Amino acid sequence: MQPGLPTIHISLSQFLPLRAAQALSFEPGTHITSTGALATRSGAKMGRSPKDKRVTRDPETEKDLWWGPYSPNYVMDDRTFLTNRERAVDYLNTLERVYVVDAFVNWDPASRLKVRVVTSRAYHALFMSNMLIRPTAEELANFGEPDFIIYNAGAFPANKYTNFMTSQTSIDLSLKHKEMVILGTMYAGEMKKGVFTLMHYLMPMQGKLSLHSGCNVGAEDDVTLFFGLSGTGKTTLSADPKRPLIGDDEHVWSDNGVFNIEGGCYAKCIGLTEEREPEIWKAIKFGTVLENVEIDPATREVDYESQKFTENTRASYPIEYMANARIPCVGGHPKNVILLACDAFGVLPPVSRLTLEQAMYHFISGYTAKVAGTEVGVTEPQATFSACFGSAFLMLHPYKYATMLAEKMAKHGTTAWLLNTGWTGGKYGVGKRMSLKHTRAIIDAIHSGELDQAEFVTTPIFGLQVPTSISGVPSEVLCPENVWGDKNEFATTLNKLGHMFVKNFEHFHDGDAFVGADMAARILTGGPKPLPEDNVAKTGFNL
């Protein structure tokens, strides 16, 4: 930044009222809701722009990063990065006011980094103050130079004629300069996920596994990690009133245990009710940022069912707003890892115990399914895969993260489970959604140790280990074929899903270059073994 650019450092006790007042004063369309939260609009972009994310390629890091057609890392050179940074800084220097946030990432002191955010919008400053770890007054006074800087000039467009640009939006990360530049989008989530992307490089390079997961802890200090894409129940199931929350989204597993990367939570708001998610409902108060929600101008009440602006409505709040948050946000080594899939085909069991090889395979797959009606043209369930349950944020090859996961699980005796929170008794439109009551009973049985003593049977095609009984769950539900009316159709659908997994895994054919041929082959043994479709048509349920 140029000398003379106005920056003001203030104490945490002053921060929330000041930033809220600044947003109300200087940002049209910003309001205080009936519960005291700040409701605002992000502009034309109401979600991330993954196709516009760029990573600079430089000799120091390029050998470690995952490049190629299926990688989320679209390349740019250093000169273009510096050009975009200059454009962002020039724009910020023309403004009457900019907002600066100095804060930390990583609750483990040994891994803590200093982050500085420079932005043109007050709501962005409040958002990142919520999402990062807030320094004390003393820490702020002695903050010094940051380890990473975000220049958010999202109100100003990128020059689409610049090399490597495909639009007027560009989100650029330089590992060499330890900087991020944002142009052409004011969606606040780009900052949060930019920091997470950086951690997906820095932490594994130190032997620490970065994870896109929720995390909670029990009375016996037993830690559970929850992985799952949107709609699988990750946020709901990790926010358990009986188990303190370590974090809702971003964690690192180090030699000392797990720790949260962030200082806040970022919850989807669509369909939010006090009955379904009481902890999140109560967290939406003064200091919380609500993005792109519709509010009643007279009552100031939020319509959480409304998709007037977007389905991707969001709430950002400090983790302390969760009544059962564990502060500091650290825990021991995980006892259980739970992979959540909303299987709209209705063929996966409600719960399966995974081998280490299966854990790696399903972690890399990151499977869930879209249901009919969620997008234009979607009339049948569609399989969706996101590597490591967060493909857009990966810096290294998925095999690298999966191998680290298996190594840590083996060292610390961690058990992996695959839970289907989707359909049972048939695919979407025929069967019904898995009972939340039964899913919670399954998770309780995992945490109590009941499933450690259970008897298991093996499923066809996927080779999953399924318990024969669980307290509070009807036994017939545990094996999905039992509740399908047409057993042959079940077999055909299960086999079809197996082929989808295998086809998706072709994206990672180059994994042996990152983990070695032996480990790559071992990972593949954890996948399904689908049969030729003609064979299934002949044998039917007798797979």
Side-chain angles (χ1 to χ4, degrees):
M1 304 302 295
Q2 291 182 359
L5 190 69
T7 62
I8 302 174
H9 291 287
I10 56 177
S11 69
L12 182 59
S13 62
Q14 296 172 307
F15 193 94
L16 295 180
L18 179 58
R19 289 298 189 241
Q22 289 169 330
L24 289 168
S25 298
F26 303 120
E27 298 192 10
T30 300
H31 306 281
I32 294 292
T33 71
S34 59
T35 62
L38 184 77
T40 189
R41 302 277 302 283
S42 66
K45 298 275 187 175
M46 299 185 192
R48 291 182 297 103
S49 302
K51 298 288 187 183
D52 295 307
K53 188 184 99 173
R54 299 288 179 271
V55 178
T56 56
R57 194 165 196 159
D58 66 77
E60 292 295 317
T61 61
E62 66 175 346
K63 67 182 184 303
D64 298 315
L65 300 188
W66 181 32
W67 308 100
Y70 302 111
S71 164
N73 301 312
Y74 297 96
V75 70
M76 77 183 324
D77 62 23
D78 188 61
R79 180 178 178 84
T80 304
F81 175 83
L82 293 175
T83 298
N84 281 358
R85 184 181 70 177
E86 190 78 4
R87 187 176 180 89
V89 170
D90 285 349
Y91 167 73
L92 291 167
N93 275 319
T94 67
L95 303 176
E96 292 184 8
R97 63 187 65 81
V98 297
Y99 304 94
V100 179
V101 177
D102 283 353
F104 302 111
V105 293
N106 299 335
W107 280 87
D108 179 6
S111 302
R112 180 158 287 186
L113 295 173
K114 298 182 290 184
V115 176
R116 174 167 294 162
V117 180
V118 186
T119 180
S120 62
R121 295 194 65 176
Y123 113 76
H124 284 166
L126 179 55
F127 176 93
M128 287 305 281
S129 176
N130 286 347
M131 298 315 303
L132 298 175
I133 300 169
R134 292 155 292 284
T136 64
E138 181 180 359
E139 288 172 334
L140 190 61
N142 298 305
F143 194 81
E145 291 302 310
D147 300 304
F148 184 67
I149 302 176
I150 298 175
Y151 295 106
N152 189 341
F156 197 68
N159 184 337
K160 63 182 180 181
Y161 296 109
T162 304
N163 287 342
F164 304 101
M165 298 299 101
T166 53
S167 74
Q168 292 183 318
T169 297
S170 191
I171 303 102
D172 310 328
L173 174 64
S174 170
L175 296 173
K176 174 183 176 181
H177 298 288
K178 294 183 173 59
E179 293 174 335
M180 181 181 183
V181 171
I182 299 175
L183 293 164
T185 174
M186 292 183 284
Y187 180 64
E190 296 289 8
M191 295 181 288
K192 163 189 161 67
K193 292 305 186 184
V195 172
F196 188 38
T197 301
L198 176 70
M199 292 303 104
H200 262 321
Y201 173 76
L202 293 180
M203 292 297 100
M205 291 297 104
Q206 299 175 21
K208 304 167 185 177
L209 176 59
S210 48
L211 299 164
H212 190 207
S213 71
C215 183
N216 64 25
V217 59
E220 303 298 322
D221 209 33
D222 55 306
V223 170
T224 297
L225 294 171
F226 293 83
F227 297 92
L229 303 180
S230 180
T232 59
K234 179 185 69 157
T235 302
T236 300
L237 295 170
S238 60
D240 185 335
K242 302 186 297 295
R243 295 172 61 86
L245 181 71
I246 293 176
D248 76 324
D249 196 49
E250 301 176 8
H251 294 86
V252 172
W253 189 350
S254 73
D255 290 341
N256 298 322
V258 297
F259 58 85
N260 193 347
I261 291 174
E262 302 181 294
C265 299
Y266 193 40
K268 287 194 77 169
C269 290
I270 194 71
L272 178 66
T273 66
E274 185 174 10
E275 293 73 26
R276 283 201 295 261
E277 298 176 279
E279 294 84 9
I280 296 173
W281 180 273
K282 293 172 184 174
I284 298 178
K285 56 187 178 181
F286 182 73
T288 296
V289 175
L290 287 170
E291 248 184 343
N292 301 316
V293 298
E294 183 180 9
I295 67 171
D296 187 303
T299 66
R300 304 283 176 151
E301 292 183 353
V302 179
D303 181 358
Y304 290 110
E305 298 295 332
S306 174
Q307 301 181 35
K308 179 179 179 180
F309 304 118
T310 178
E311 183 186 356
N312 187 37
T313 53
R314 294 279 183 169
S316 160
Y317 46 86
I319 195 166
E320 293 90 339
Y321 282 18
M322 295 291 283
N324 69 334
R326 170 179 276 202
I327 308 295
C329 302
V330 298
H333 296 289
K335 182 178 180 181
N336 293 290
V337 167
I338 295 177
L339 312 182
L340 299 167
C342 178
D343 176 29
F345 295 96
V347 293
L348 291 183
V351 60
S352 312
R353 186 176 62 189
L354 304 178
T355 65
L356 282 178
E357 291 75 18
Q358 288 173 329
M360 287 189 285
Y361 189 96
H362 285 275
F363 178 66
I364 292 169
S365 296
Y367 164 69
T368 193
K370 298 174 184 176
V371 298
T374 57
E375 293 184 9
V376 175
V378 178
T379 58
E380 291 288 324
Q382 289 189 358
T384 299
F385 299 94
S386 182
C388 306
F389 294 92
S391 177
F393 321 120
L394 302 183
M395 297 290 279
L396 313 180
H397 194 281
Y399 275 27
K400 183 66 176 177
Y401 299 101
T403 299
M404 291 183 69
L405 177 65
E407 289 171 349
K408 290 184 180 298
M409 287 177 59
K411 181 177 181 179
H412 300 289
T414 308
T415 304
W417 308 88
L418 177 65
L419 266 65
N420 174 20
T421 61
W423 270 256
T424 182
K427 65 181 180 181
Y428 173 83
V430 178
K432 61 182 181 179
R433 187 76 188 259
M434 202 74 67
S435 164
L436 180 58
K437 178 182 176 181
H438 293 162
T439 300
R440 290 194 185 280
I442 290 168
I443 292 176
D444 288 344
I446 291 172
H447 288 151
S448 70
E450 177 186 340
L451 291 193
D452 292 336
Q453 311 302 322
E455 293 183 8
F456 291 82
V457 295
T458 304
T459 68
I461 304 298
F462 280 80
L464 302 172
Q465 297 294 304
V466 177
T468 57
S469 66
I470 300 175
S471 299
V473 182
S475 295
E476 64 271 14
V477 173
L478 296 175
C479 291
E481 64 270 23
N482 292 340
V483 287
W484 270 64
D486 187 330
K487 300 295 190 292
N488 291 335
E489 185 181 359
F490 168 82
T492 301
T493 306
L494 178 67
N495 193 60
K496 178 181 177 182
L497 182 61
H499 280 290
M500 292 178 188
F501 271 79
V502 171
K503 183 173 180 58
N504 173 68
F505 237 74
E506 294 173 2
H507 297 166
F508 316 120
H509 64 89
D510 55 346
D512 57 349
F514 297 89
V515 299
D518 289 345
M519 178 56 74
R522 182 184 171 192
I523 290 171
L524 289 177
T525 66
K529 297 173 176 58
L531 303 173
E533 292 184 5
D534 288 346
N535 288 16
V536 177
K538 294 175 183 177
T539 61
F541 185 61
N542 297 313
L543 292 171

